[in-house]
Amino acid sequence: MRSLREIQDDLAAAERRLAQVKAWAATATSTLVSQDIGNQLGRVVVNALGGLQSVELAPEGLAYTNGRALGRAVVAAVRAAEDKARARREEALG
């Protein structure tokens, strides 16, 4: 059976961890991760939680693509940006 001291230590550690996560979460929505779409088509931006913030298309690149290819490129860029955001979360939160 665990001692009262061990339980208190675990509780203190959990409270420290909770404070760390709350501090990180307070800035997560304003921390942005950018990913180029590729082929000079533009870029996508997500926040550190992986929420899509913007899709910025470069008009000069649109002349050299079609809707289907553009859609695939944007989806791939969003997924890559989400992966970057996930890696940053894991790094920040351990």
Coordinates of all heavy atoms in Angstrom, one line a residue:
M1 N 0.8 -1.2 0.0 CA 0.0 0.0 0.0 C 0.9 1.2 0.0 O 1.9 1.3 0.7 CB -0.9 0.0 1.2 CG -1.8 1.1 1.3 SD -3.0 0.9 2.6 CE -4.3 1.8 2.0
R2 N 0.5 2.2 -0.8 CA 1.2 3.4 -0.9 C 1.1 4.3 0.4 O 0.0 4.4 1.0 CB 0.8 4.2 -2.1 CG 1.1 3.5 -3.4 CD 0.5 4.1 -4.6 NE 0.7 5.6 -4.5 CZ 0.7 6.4 -5.5 NH1 0.6 5.9 -6.7 NH2 0.9 7.7 -5.4
S3 N 2.1 5.0 0.7 CA 2.1 5.9 1.9 C 1.4 7.2 1.5 O 1.3 7.6 0.3 CB 3.5 6.1 2.4 OG 4.2 7.0 1.5
L4 N 1.0 7.9 2.5 CA 0.4 9.2 2.3 C 1.4 10.1 1.6 O 1.0 10.9 0.7 CB 0.0 9.8 3.7 CG -0.6 11.2 3.6 CD1 -1.8 11.3 2.8 CD2 -0.9 11.7 5.0
R5 N 2.7 10.0 2.0 CA 3.7 10.9 1.4 C 3.8 10.6 -0.1 O 3.9 11.6 -0.9 CB 5.1 10.6 2.0 CG 6.1 11.5 1.6 CD 6.0 12.9 2.2 NE 6.5 13.9 1.3 CZ 6.0 15.1 1.1 NH1 4.9 15.4 1.8 NH2 6.6 15.9 0.4
E6 N 3.8 9.4 -0.5 CA 3.8 9.0 -2.0 C 2.6 9.6 -2.7 O 2.8 10.1 -3.8 CB 3.9 7.5 -2.1 CG 5.2 6.9 -1.7 CD 5.2 5.4 -1.7 OE1 4.1 4.8 -1.4 OE2 6.2 4.8 -2.1
I7 N 1.5 9.5 -2.1 CA 0.3 10.0 -2.7 C 0.4 11.5 -2.8 O 0.0 12.1 -3.9 CB -1.0 9.6 -1.9 CG1 -1.2 8.1 -2.0 CG2 -2.2 10.3 -2.4 CD1 -2.2 7.5 -1.1
Q8 N 0.8 12.2 -1.8 CA 1.0 13.7 -1.9 C 2.0 14.1 -2.9 O 1.8 15.1 -3.6 CB 1.4 14.2 -0.5 CG 0.4 14.1 0.5 CD 0.8 14.4 1.9 OE1 2.0 14.2 2.3 NE2 -0.1 15.0 2.8
D9 N 3.1 13.3 -3.1 CA 4.1 13.6 -4.1 C 3.5 13.5 -5.5 O 3.8 14.3 -6.4 CB 5.3 12.7 -3.9 CG 6.2 13.0 -2.7 OD1 6.0 14.1 -2.1 OD2 7.0 12.2 -2.3
D10 N 2.7 12.4 -5.7 CA 2.1 12.2 -7.0 C 1.1 13.3 -7.3 O 1.0 13.8 -8.4 CB 1.4 10.8 -7.0 CG 2.3 9.7 -7.1 OD1 3.5 9.9 -7.4 OD2 1.9 8.5 -6.9
L11 N 0.3 13.7 -6.3 CA -0.6 14.8 -6.5 C 0.1 16.1 -6.8 O -0.3 16.8 -7.7 CB -1.5 15.0 -5.2 CG -2.5 16.1 -5.3 CD1 -3.5 16.0 -6.4 CD2 -3.2 16.3 -3.9
A12 N 1.2 16.4 -6.1 CA 2.0 17.6 -6.4 C 2.5 17.6 -7.9 O 2.5 18.6 -8.6 CB 3.1 17.8 -5.4
A13 N 3.0 16.4 -8.3 CA 3.5 16.2 -9.7 C 2.4 16.4 -10.7 O 2.6 17.1 -11.7 CB 4.2 14.9 -9.8
A14 N 1.2 15.9 -10.4 CA 0.1 16.1 -11.3 C -0.3 17.5 -11.4 O -0.7 18.0 -12.5 CB -1.1 15.2 -10.9
E15 N -0.3 18.2 -10.3 CA -0.7 19.6 -10.3 C 0.3 20.5 -11.1 O 0.0 21.4 -11.8 CB -0.8 20.1 -8.9 CG -2.1 19.6 -8.2 CD -2.1 20.0 -6.7 OE1 -1.1 20.3 -6.1 OE2 -3.3 19.9 -6.1
R16 N 1.6 20.1 -11.0 CA 2.7 20.8 -11.7 C 2.4 20.6 -13.2 O 2.5 21.5 -14.0 CB 4.1 20.4 -11.3 CG 4.5 21.0 -10.0 CD 6.0 20.7 -9.8 NE 6.4 19.3 -9.8 CZ 6.3 18.5 -8.7 NH1 5.9 18.9 -7.6 NH2 6.7 17.2 -8.8
R17 N 2.1 19.3 -13.6 CA 1.9 19.0 -15.0 C 0.7 19.7 -15.5 O 0.7 20.2 -16.6 CB 1.7 17.5 -15.1 CG 1.4 17.0 -16.4 CD 2.6 17.0 -17.3 NE 2.3 16.4 -18.6 CZ 2.8 16.8 -19.8 NH1 3.6 17.8 -19.8 NH2 2.4 16.2 -20.9
L18 N -0.4 19.8 -14.7 CA -1.6 20.5 -15.1 C -1.3 22.0 -15.4 O -1.7 22.5 -16.4 CB -2.7 20.3 -14.1 CG -4.0 21.1 -14.4 CD1 -4.6 20.6 -15.7 CD2 -5.0 20.9 -13.2
A19 N -0.5 22.6 -14.5 CA -0.1 24.0 -14.7 C 0.7 24.2 -16.0 O 0.5 25.2 -16.7 CB 0.6 24.5 -13.5
Q20 N 1.6 23.2 -16.3 CA 2.4 23.3 -17.5 C 1.5 23.2 -18.7 O 1.6 24.0 -19.6 CB 3.4 22.2 -17.5 CG 4.2 22.1 -18.8 CD 5.0 20.8 -18.8 OE1 4.8 19.9 -18.1 NE2 6.0 20.9 -19.7
V21 N 0.5 22.3 -18.7 CA -0.4 22.1 -19.9 C -1.3 23.4 -20.0 O -1.5 23.8 -21.1 CB -1.2 20.8 -19.7 CG1 -2.3 20.8 -20.7 CG2 -0.3 19.6 -19.8
K22 N -1.8 23.9 -18.9 CA -2.6 25.1 -19.0 C -1.8 26.3 -19.6 O -2.4 27.0 -20.4 CB -3.2 25.4 -17.6 CG -4.3 24.6 -17.2 CD -4.9 25.1 -15.9 CE -6.1 24.3 -15.4 NZ -6.6 24.8 -14.1
A23 N -0.6 26.4 -19.1 CA 0.2 27.5 -19.6 C 0.5 27.4 -21.1 O 0.4 28.4 -21.9 CB 1.6 27.6 -18.9
W24 N 0.8 26.2 -21.6 CA 1.0 25.9 -23.0 C -0.3 26.2 -23.8 O -0.3 26.8 -24.8 CB 1.5 24.5 -23.2 CG 1.7 24.2 -24.7 CD1 2.9 24.5 -25.4 CD2 0.8 23.7 -25.6 NE1 2.7 24.2 -26.7 CE2 1.4 23.7 -26.8 CE3 -0.5 23.2 -25.5 CZ2 0.8 23.2 -28.0 CZ3 -1.1 22.7 -26.6 CH2 -0.4 22.7 -27.8
A25 N -1.4 25.7 -23.3 CA -2.7 25.8 -24.0 C -3.1 27.2 -24.2 O -3.7 27.6 -25.2 CB -3.8 25.0 -23.3
A26 N -2.7 28.1 -23.2 CA -3.1 29.5 -23.3 C -2.4 30.2 -24.5 O -3.0 31.1 -25.1 CB -2.7 30.2 -22.0
T27 N -1.3 29.7 -24.9 CA -0.6 30.3 -26.1 C -0.7 29.5 -27.4 O -0.4 29.9 -28.4 CB 0.9 30.4 -25.8 OG1 1.5 29.1 -25.6 CG2 1.2 31.3 -24.6
A28 N -1.3 28.3 -27.3 CA -1.3 27.4 -28.4 C -2.2 27.9 -29.6 O -1.8 27.7 -30.7 CB -1.9 26.0 -28.0
T29 N -3.2 28.6 -29.3 CA -4.1 29.0 -30.4 C -3.4 30.2 -31.2 O -3.8 30.5 -32.3 CB -5.5 29.4 -30.0 OG1 -5.4 30.4 -29.0 CG2 -6.2 28.2 -29.5
S30 N -2.5 30.9 -30.5 CA -1.8 32.0 -31.2 C -0.4 31.6 -31.8 O 0.2 32.4 -32.5 CB -1.7 33.2 -30.3 OG -0.9 32.8 -29.2
T31 N 0.0 30.4 -31.5 CA 1.2 29.8 -32.1 C 0.9 29.2 -33.4 O 0.1 28.3 -33.5 CB 1.9 28.8 -31.1 OG1 2.1 29.4 -29.9 CG2 3.2 28.3 -31.7
L32 N 1.5 29.7 -34.5 CA 1.2 29.3 -35.8 C 2.3 28.4 -36.5 O 3.5 28.6 -36.2 CB 0.9 30.5 -36.7 CG -0.2 31.4 -36.2 CD1 -0.4 32.6 -37.1 CD2 -1.5 30.6 -36.1
V33 N 1.8 27.5 -37.3 CA 2.7 26.6 -38.0 C 2.3 26.7 -39.5 O 1.2 26.6 -39.9 CB 2.5 25.1 -37.6 CG1 3.4 24.2 -38.4 CG2 2.8 25.0 -36.1
S34 N 3.3 27.0 -40.3 CA 3.1 27.3 -41.7 C 3.7 26.1 -42.6 O 4.7 25.5 -42.2 CB 3.8 28.6 -42.1 OG 3.6 28.8 -43.5
Q35 N 3.0 25.8 -43.7 CA 3.5 24.8 -44.6 C 3.2 25.2 -46.0 O 2.1 25.6 -46.4 CB 2.8 23.5 -44.3 CG 3.1 22.3 -45.3 CD 4.5 21.9 -45.1 OE1 5.0 21.7 -44.0 NE2 5.1 21.6 -46.3
D36 N 4.3 25.2 -46.8 CA 4.1 25.5 -48.3 C 3.3 24.4 -48.9 O 3.4 23.3 -48.6 CB 5.5 25.6 -49.0 CG 6.3 26.8 -48.6 OD1 5.6 27.8 -48.3 OD2 7.5 26.8 -48.7
I37 N 2.4 24.9 -49.8 CA 1.6 23.9 -50.6 C 2.4 23.2 -51.6 O 2.1 22.0 -51.9 CB 0.4 24.7 -51.2 CG1 -0.5 25.2 -50.1 CG2 -0.4 23.7 -52.1 CD1 -1.6 26.1 -50.6
G38 N 3.4 23.8 -52.1 CA 4.2 23.2 -53.1 C 3.9 23.7 -54.5 O 2.9 24.4 -54.7
N39 N 4.9 23.6 -55.4 CA 4.7 24.1 -56.8 C 4.3 25.5 -56.8 O 3.6 26.0 -57.7 CB 3.7 23.3 -57.6 CG 4.1 21.8 -57.7 OD1 5.3 21.5 -57.9 ND2 3.1 20.9 -57.7
Q40 N 4.8 26.3 -55.9 CA 4.6 27.7 -55.8 C 3.1 28.1 -55.8 O 2.7 29.1 -56.4 CB 5.3 28.5 -56.9 CG 6.8 28.3 -56.8 CD 7.6 29.0 -57.9 OE1 7.0 29.3 -58.9 NE2 8.9 29.2 -57.6
L41 N 2.3 27.2 -55.2 CA 0.8 27.4 -55.1 C 0.4 28.2 -53.9 O -0.8 28.7 -53.9 CB 0.1 26.1 -55.2 CG 0.2 25.3 -56.5 CD1 -0.4 23.9 -56.3 CD2 -0.4 26.1 -57.6
G42 N 1.2 28.4 -52.9 CA 0.9 29.1 -51.7 C 1.3 28.4 -50.4 O 2.2 27.6 -50.4
R43 N 0.5 28.7 -49.4 CA 0.8 28.0 -48.1 C -0.4 27.9 -47.3 O -1.4 28.6 -47.5 CB 1.9 28.7 -47.3 CG 1.5 30.1 -46.8 CD 2.6 30.8 -46.1 NE 2.1 32.0 -45.5 CZ 2.4 32.4 -44.3 NH1 3.2 31.7 -43.5 NH2 1.9 33.5 -43.9
V44 N -0.4 27.0 -46.3 CA -1.4 26.8 -45.3 C -0.9 27.1 -43.9 O 0.3 27.0 -43.7 CB -2.1 25.4 -45.3 CG1 -2.7 25.1 -46.7 CG2 -1.1 24.3 -45.0
V45 N -1.7 27.5 -43.0 CA -1.3 27.9 -41.7 C -2.3 27.2 -40.7 O -3.5 27.3 -40.9 CB -1.3 29.4 -41.5 CG1 -0.9 29.7 -40.0 CG2 -0.3 30.1 -42.5
V46 N -1.7 26.5 -39.7 CA -2.5 25.9 -38.6 C -2.0 26.5 -37.3 O -0.8 26.9 -37.3 CB -2.5 24.4 -38.6 CG1 -3.0 23.8 -39.9 CG2 -1.1 23.8 -38.4
N47 N -2.8 26.4 -36.3 CA -2.3 26.8 -35.0 C -1.7 25.5 -34.3 O -1.7 24.4 -34.9 CB -3.3 27.4 -34.1 CG -4.5 26.5 -33.7 OD1 -4.4 25.3 -33.7 ND2 -5.7 27.1 -33.5
A48 N -1.1 25.7 -33.1 CA -0.4 24.6 -32.5 C -1.3 23.5 -32.1 O -0.8 22.4 -31.8 CB 0.4 25.1 -31.3
L49 N -2.6 23.7 -32.1 CA -3.5 22.6 -31.8 C -3.9 21.9 -33.0 O -4.7 20.9 -33.0 CB -4.8 23.2 -31.1 CG -4.5 23.9 -29.7 CD1 -5.8 24.5 -29.2 CD2 -4.0 22.9 -28.7
G50 N -3.4 22.4 -34.2 CA -3.8 21.7 -35.5 C -5.0 22.3 -36.2 O -5.4 21.9 -37.2
G51 N -5.5 23.4 -35.6 CA -6.7 24.1 -36.2 C -6.3 24.9 -37.4 O -5.4 25.7 -37.3
L52 N -7.0 24.7 -38.5 CA -6.7 25.4 -39.7 C -6.9 26.9 -39.5 O -8.0 27.3 -39.2 CB -7.5 24.9 -40.9 CG -7.2 25.5 -42.3 CD1 -5.8 25.3 -42.7 CD2 -8.2 25.0 -43.3
Q53 N -5.9 27.8 -39.8 CA -6.1 29.2 -39.7 C -6.3 29.9 -41.0 O -7.0 30.8 -41.1 CB -4.9 29.8 -39.0 CG -4.7 29.2 -37.6 CD -5.8 29.6 -36.7 OE1 -6.1 30.7 -36.4 NE2 -6.5 28.5 -36.2
S54 N -5.5 29.4 -42.0 CA -5.7 30.1 -43.3 C -5.1 29.2 -44.4 O -4.2 28.3 -44.2 CB -5.0 31.4 -43.4 OG -3.6 31.3 -43.2
V55 N -5.6 29.4 -45.6 CA -5.1 28.9 -46.9 C -4.8 30.1 -47.8 O -5.7 30.8 -48.1 CB -6.1 27.9 -47.5 CG1 -5.5 27.4 -48.9 CG2 -6.4 26.7 -46.6
E56 N -3.5 30.3 -48.1 CA -3.1 31.4 -48.9 C -2.7 30.9 -50.2 O -1.6 30.2 -50.3 CB -2.0 32.2 -48.2 CG -2.4 32.7 -46.8 CD -1.3 33.1 -45.9 OE1 -0.1 33.1 -46.4 OE2 -1.5 33.4 -44.8
L57 N -3.4 31.2 -51.3 CA -3.1 30.8 -52.6 C -2.3 31.9 -53.4 O -2.6 33.0 -53.2 CB -4.3 30.4 -53.4 CG -5.1 29.3 -52.8 CD1 -6.4 29.0 -53.6 CD2 -4.3 28.0 -52.8
A58 N -1.3 31.4 -54.1 CA -0.5 32.4 -54.9 C -1.1 32.4 -56.3 O -1.0 31.4 -57.1 CB 0.9 31.9 -55.0
P59 N -1.7 33.5 -56.7 CA -2.4 33.6 -58.0 C -1.5 33.2 -59.2 O -2.0 32.6 -60.1 CB -2.8 35.0 -58.1 CG -2.9 35.5 -56.7 CD -1.8 34.8 -56.0
E60 N -0.2 33.5 -59.1 CA 0.7 33.2 -60.2 C 0.9 31.7 -60.4 O 1.1 31.3 -61.5 CB 2.0 33.9 -60.1 CG 2.8 33.6 -58.9 CD 2.4 34.3 -57.6 OE1 1.5 35.1 -57.6 OE2 3.1 34.1 -56.6
G61 N 0.7 30.9 -59.4 CA 0.9 29.5 -59.5 C -0.4 28.8 -60.0 O -0.3 27.7 -60.5
L62 N -1.5 29.4 -59.8 CA -2.8 28.8 -60.2 C -2.9 28.6 -61.7 O -3.6 27.7 -62.1 CB -4.0 29.6 -59.7 CG -4.0 29.7 -58.2 CD1 -5.2 30.6 -57.8 CD2 -4.1 28.4 -57.5
A63 N -2.2 29.3 -62.5 CA -2.3 29.2 -63.9 C -1.7 27.8 -64.4 O -2.0 27.4 -65.5 CB -1.6 30.3 -64.6
Y64 N -0.9 27.2 -63.6 CA -0.2 26.0 -64.0 C -0.8 24.7 -63.3 O -0.1 23.7 -63.3 CB 1.3 26.1 -63.7 CG 1.9 27.3 -64.3 CD1 2.1 28.5 -63.6 CD2 2.1 27.3 -65.7 CE1 2.6 29.6 -64.2 CE2 2.6 28.4 -66.3 CZ 2.9 29.6 -65.6 OH 3.4 30.7 -66.2
T65 N -2.0 24.8 -62.8 CA -2.6 23.6 -62.1 C -4.1 23.6 -62.5 O -4.6 24.5 -63.1 CB -2.4 23.7 -60.6 OG1 -2.7 22.4 -60.0 CG2 -3.2 24.8 -59.9
N66 N -4.7 22.5 -62.0 CA -6.2 22.4 -62.2 C -6.8 22.2 -60.8 O -6.1 22.0 -59.8 CB -6.6 21.2 -63.1 CG -6.1 19.9 -62.7 OD1 -6.2 19.5 -61.5 ND2 -5.5 19.1 -63.6
G67 N -8.1 22.2 -60.7 CA -8.8 22.1 -59.4 C -8.5 20.8 -58.7 O -8.3 20.8 -57.4
R68 N -8.4 19.7 -59.4 CA -8.2 18.4 -58.7 C -6.8 18.4 -58.1 O -6.6 18.0 -57.0 CB -8.4 17.3 -59.7 CG -8.3 15.9 -59.0 CD -8.8 14.9 -60.0 NE -10.2 15.1 -60.3 CZ -10.9 14.3 -61.0 NH1 -10.4 13.3 -61.6 NH2 -12.2 14.6 -61.2
A69 N -5.8 18.8 -58.9 CA -4.4 18.8 -58.4 C -4.2 19.8 -57.3 O -3.5 19.5 -56.3 CB -3.4 19.1 -59.5
L70 N -4.9 21.0 -57.4 CA -4.8 22.0 -56.3 C -5.4 21.4 -55.0 O -4.8 21.6 -54.0 CB -5.5 23.2 -56.8 CG -5.6 24.3 -55.7 CD1 -4.2 24.8 -55.3 CD2 -6.4 25.5 -56.2
G71 N -6.5 20.8 -55.1 CA -7.2 20.2 -53.9 C -6.3 19.2 -53.3 O -6.1 19.2 -52.0
R72 N -5.7 18.3 -54.0 CA -4.8 17.3 -53.4 C -3.6 18.0 -52.8 O -3.2 17.6 -51.7 CB -4.3 16.3 -54.5 CG -5.3 15.3 -54.9 CD -4.7 14.1 -55.7 NE -4.1 14.6 -56.9 CZ -4.6 14.7 -58.1 NH1 -5.9 14.3 -58.3 NH2 -4.0 15.1 -59.2
A73 N -3.0 19.0 -53.4 CA -1.9 19.7 -52.9 C -2.2 20.4 -51.6 O -1.4 20.4 -50.6 CB -1.3 20.7 -53.9
V74 N -3.4 21.0 -51.5 CA -3.8 21.7 -50.3 C -4.0 20.7 -49.2 O -3.6 21.0 -48.0 CB -5.1 22.6 -50.5 CG1 -5.6 23.1 -49.2 CG2 -4.7 23.8 -51.5
V75 N -4.7 19.6 -49.4 CA -4.9 18.6 -48.4 C -3.6 18.1 -47.9 O -3.4 17.9 -46.7 CB -5.8 17.5 -48.9 CG1 -5.9 16.3 -48.0 CG2 -7.2 18.0 -49.2
A76 N -2.7 17.8 -48.8 CA -1.4 17.3 -48.3 C -0.6 18.3 -47.5 O 0.0 17.9 -46.5 CB -0.5 16.9 -49.6
A77 N -0.7 19.6 -47.8 CA -0.1 20.6 -47.1 C -0.7 20.8 -45.7 O 0.0 20.9 -44.7 CB -0.1 21.9 -47.8
V78 N -2.0 20.7 -45.6 CA -2.7 20.8 -44.3 C -2.3 19.6 -43.4 O -2.0 19.8 -42.3 CB -4.2 20.8 -44.5 CG1 -4.9 20.7 -43.2 CG2 -4.7 22.1 -45.1
R79 N -2.2 18.4 -44.0 CA -1.8 17.3 -43.2 C -0.4 17.4 -42.7 O -0.1 17.1 -41.6 CB -2.0 16.0 -44.0 CG -3.4 15.6 -44.2 CD -3.6 14.3 -45.0 NE -5.0 13.9 -45.1 CZ -5.5 13.2 -46.0 NH1 -4.7 12.8 -47.0 NH2 -6.8 13.0 -46.1
A80 N 0.5 17.9 -43.6 CA 1.9 18.1 -43.2 C 2.0 19.2 -42.1 O 2.7 19.0 -41.1 CB 2.7 18.5 -44.4
A81 N 1.2 20.2 -42.2 CA 1.2 21.3 -41.1 C 0.6 20.7 -39.8 O 1.2 21.0 -38.7 CB 0.4 22.5 -41.6
E82 N -0.4 19.9 -39.9 CA -0.9 19.3 -38.7 C 0.1 18.4 -38.0 O 0.2 18.3 -36.8 CB -2.2 18.5 -39.0 CG -3.4 19.3 -39.4 CD -4.6 18.5 -39.9 OE1 -4.4 17.4 -40.4 OE2 -5.7 19.1 -39.9
D83 N 0.9 17.6 -38.8 CA 1.9 16.8 -38.3 C 3.0 17.6 -37.6 O 3.5 17.2 -36.5 CB 2.6 15.9 -39.4 CG 1.7 14.9 -39.9 OD1 0.6 14.5 -39.3 OD2 1.9 14.3 -41.0
K84 N 3.4 18.8 -38.2 CA 4.3 19.7 -37.6 C 3.8 20.2 -36.2 O 4.5 20.2 -35.2 CB 4.6 20.9 -38.4 CG 5.5 20.6 -39.6 CD 5.8 21.9 -40.3 CE 6.6 21.8 -41.6 NZ 6.7 23.1 -42.3
A85 N 2.5 20.5 -36.2 CA 1.9 21.0 -35.0 C 1.9 20.0 -33.9 O 2.2 20.2 -32.7 CB 0.5 21.6 -35.3
R86 N 1.6 18.7 -34.3 CA 1.5 17.6 -33.4 C 2.9 17.4 -32.8 O 3.1 17.2 -31.6 CB 1.1 16.3 -34.1 CG 0.9 15.1 -33.1 CD 0.3 13.9 -33.9 NE -0.9 14.2 -34.6 CZ -1.0 14.3 -35.9 NH1 0.1 14.1 -36.7 NH2 -2.1 14.5 -36.5
A87 N 4.0 17.4 -33.6 CA 5.3 17.3 -33.2 C 5.7 18.4 -32.2 O 6.4 18.1 -31.1 CB 6.3 17.3 -34.3
R88 N 5.3 19.6 -32.4 CA 5.6 20.7 -31.5 C 4.9 20.5 -30.2 O 5.4 20.8 -29.1 CB 5.2 22.0 -32.1 CG 6.1 22.5 -33.2 CD 5.9 23.9 -33.6 NE 6.7 24.3 -34.6 CZ 6.7 25.5 -35.2 NH1 5.8 26.4 -34.8 NH2 7.5 25.8 -36.2
R89 N 3.6 20.0 -30.2 CA 2.9 19.7 -29.0 C 3.6 18.7 -28.2 O 3.8 18.8 -27.0 CB 1.4 19.3 -29.3 CG 0.5 20.3 -29.6 CD -1.0 19.8 -29.6 NE -1.2 18.6 -30.4 CZ -1.5 18.6 -31.7 NH1 -1.6 19.7 -32.4 NH2 -1.8 17.4 -32.3
E90 N 4.0 17.6 -28.8 CA 4.6 16.5 -28.1 C 5.9 17.0 -27.5 O 6.3 16.6 -26.4 CB 4.8 15.3 -29.1 CG 3.5 14.6 -29.4 CD 3.7 13.6 -30.5 OE1 4.8 13.4 -31.1 OE2 2.6 13.0 -30.8
E91 N 6.7 17.8 -28.3 CA 7.9 18.3 -27.7 C 7.7 19.3 -26.6 O 8.4 19.2 -25.5 CB 8.6 19.1 -28.9 CG 10.0 19.7 -28.5 CD 10.6 20.4 -29.6 OE1 10.7 19.9 -30.7 OE2 11.1 21.6 -29.3
A92 N 6.7 20.1 -26.7 CA 6.4 21.1 -25.6 C 5.9 20.4 -24.4 O 6.2 20.9 -23.2 CB 5.4 22.1 -26.1
L93 N 5.0 19.4 -24.5 CA 4.4 18.8 -23.4 C 5.0 17.5 -22.9 O 4.6 17.0 -21.9 CB 2.9 18.5 -23.8 CG 2.1 19.8 -24.1 CD1 0.7 19.4 -24.6 CD2 2.0 20.7 -22.9
G94 N 6.0 17.1 -23.7 CA 6.8 15.9 -23.2 C 5.9 14.7 -23.3 O 5.8 13.7 -22.8

